[in-house]
Amino acid sequence: MRVAFLVAPEGVEEIELTEPWKAVLEAGWNPQLVSTEPGRIQAFHHLDKAGTHPVDRVLAGRTAESFDALVLPGGVANPDALRLIPLAVDFARGFFESAKPVAAICHAAWLLVEADAVRGRTLTSWPSLATDIRNAGGTWVDEAVHVCHAEPATLVTSRKPADLDDFCAALVKEFGG
């Protein structure tokens, strides 16, 4: 299974990238780092620079068709930058249109709001996104992890780094099912 991890060139919360990445590897799947620019992305630990990670694929057209599932790590700056890039919004939307599972943690739900992918769904996120999710037609819940099976695609969401164990277990279960 090929799993896309979509991140901006700068601003992803490192642990929200590395822990799900590790879970995907341990499941025997193939994670691919997808970004809007080639080279390396700069991860952060809150507001401090953390590690850099090599980009496996640059967004171009309908690249969602090349993957089986999507993980959207958070960090405040990461999804805020991605939601302003039409190719990134279209990429995320493509997974829902193709009925492929998606997992998003923390602030990553901003990209889902922009892709009009939360309408009629129940999800969780960093609490400050609750109003954005409700305004986009979704139902926000305060849970460590929430799995929404509304058609056309399964959506696994989580609130914050402290929820990563639950998030990773749920995404592996749902992506594998």
Side-chain angles (χ1 to χ4, degrees), residues 9-106:
E10 186 172 278
V12 67
E13 184 69 27
E14 186 162 53
I15 196 166
E16 293 176 9
L17 169 63
T18 58
E19 288 301 305
W21 187 280
K22 184 170 71 173
V24 165
L25 282 174
E26 288 173 356
W29 302 330
N30 180 11
Q32 297 283 300
L33 191 62
V34 179
S35 191
T36 58
E37 297 176 13
R40 298 183 74 83
I41 61 101
Q42 175 65 62
F44 280 75
H45 177 68
H46 301 296
L47 300 176
D48 299 322
K49 285 186 176 181
T52 64
H53 302 273
V55 172
D56 296 309
R57 185 156 185 182
V58 176
L59 281 178
R62 300 287 292 183
T63 52
E65 296 159 1
S66 301
F67 297 96
D68 303 302
L70 172 64
V71 175
L72 298 171
V76 178
N78 177 54
D80 194 44
L82 289 173
R83 67 185 176 155
L84 296 175
I85 301 169
L87 274 176
V89 175
D90 289 344
F91 182 72
R93 185 182 301 117
F95 284 85
F96 290 93
E97 292 171 350
S98 301
K100 296 177 182 179
V102 175
I105 186 168
C106 201

